[in-house]
Amino acid sequence: SSLWWDYRDEIETVVIENGVTNIKSHAFSNCISLSEITIPSSVTSIGDSAFFSCISLSKVIIPDSVTSIGEWAFCECGSLSEITIPDSVTSIGACTFSDCISLSKVTIPDSVTSIAGSAFSGCISLSKITIPDSVTSIGKNAFSGCSSLTEITIPDSVTNTGAIFDSEITIPDGVTSI
């Protein structure tokens, strides 16, 4: 008999039962028909590449119980248009939302202190983003290729940035390294 993985192209909806505490790395990667997922409040971590290239994923609600979202977790989720990062998360990993070409609204909470390299690179529909005062570090290419980005707020709290933007920005007084 075949494992469920053999049918991953056909999976459209996933309901994770309450009691599951983490979504492992690559758990649903390349489930190209997956359009919606329910993550229960028992989940505390989402692994690296957990939803990588789920190109039909348009709706995901990350509960406040999640404290860790892995690198590449939602990379290439081209149908994802909006994401709210819960205030239990302290960092956004490398390439977490890169190439989410429909992503137009991102809410980053005050709990986040760092945004890693290429975190939002290639998000061509993202036109505005506010980085909270809690953020002190922005990694290289964090917003590269965000061709629609016309408004970005970088707080004075950012003291280290390697970010590359494709639009005009004002570097705050507190930045000591670019």
Side-chain angles (χ1 to χ4, degrees):
S1 69
S2 297
L3 299 171
W4 74 270
W5 187 252
D6 294 336
Y7 301 96
R8 68 186 178 279
D9 292 355
E10 300 170 28
I11 297 170
E12 295 178 7
T13 305
V14 170
V15 176
I16 300 170
E17 295 295 329
N18 200 27
V20 173
T21 57
N22 59 60
I23 299 171
K24 297 284 188 182
S25 296
H26 303 280
F28 300 100
S29 64
N30 295 300
C31 288
I32 61 171
S33 298
L34 180 63
S35 61
E36 187 174 329
I37 187 149
T38 302
I39 300 174
S41 59
S42 57
V43 171
T44 59
S45 67
I46 298 172
D48 294 349
S49 301
F51 299 98
F52 177 82
S53 203
C54 289
I55 59 173
S56 300
L57 187 63
S58 60
K59 183 176 182 185
V60 62
I61 296 171
I62 302 171
D64 288 339
S65 57
V66 172
T67 58
S68 171
I69 302 172
E71 296 180 353
W72 305 81
F74 294 95
C75 178
E76 295 183 13
C77 289
S79 298
L80 194 61
S81 61
E82 186 175 324
I83 196 79
T84 298
I85 298 163
D87 22 354
S88 46
V89 172
T90 58
S91 66
I92 301 171
C95 302
T96 301
F97 299 102
S98 66
D99 295 320
C100 288
I101 59 172
S102 299
L103 192 62
S104 59
K105 184 176 181 189
V106 175
T107 303
I108 301 174
D110 288 339
S111 57
V112 172
T113 58
S114 67
I115 299 171
S118 300
F120 295 96
S121 66
C123 291
I124 60 174
S125 297
L126 191 61
S127 61
K128 176 183 176 183
I129 193 159
T130 300
I131 298 169
D133 290 341
S134 55
V135 174
T136 59
S137 176
I138 300 173
K140 184 177 181 183
N141 298 325
F143 298 96
S144 69
C146 294
S147 54
S148 297
L149 193 58
T150 56
E151 188 176 334
I152 185 163
T153 303
I154 303 173
D156 288 339
S157 59
V158 175
T159 57
N160 186 18
T161 179
I164 296 174
F165 303 94
D166 293 331
S167 57
E168 188 175 310
I169 62 157
T170 301
I171 306 293
D173 293 338
V175 172
T176 58
S177 172
I178 297 179

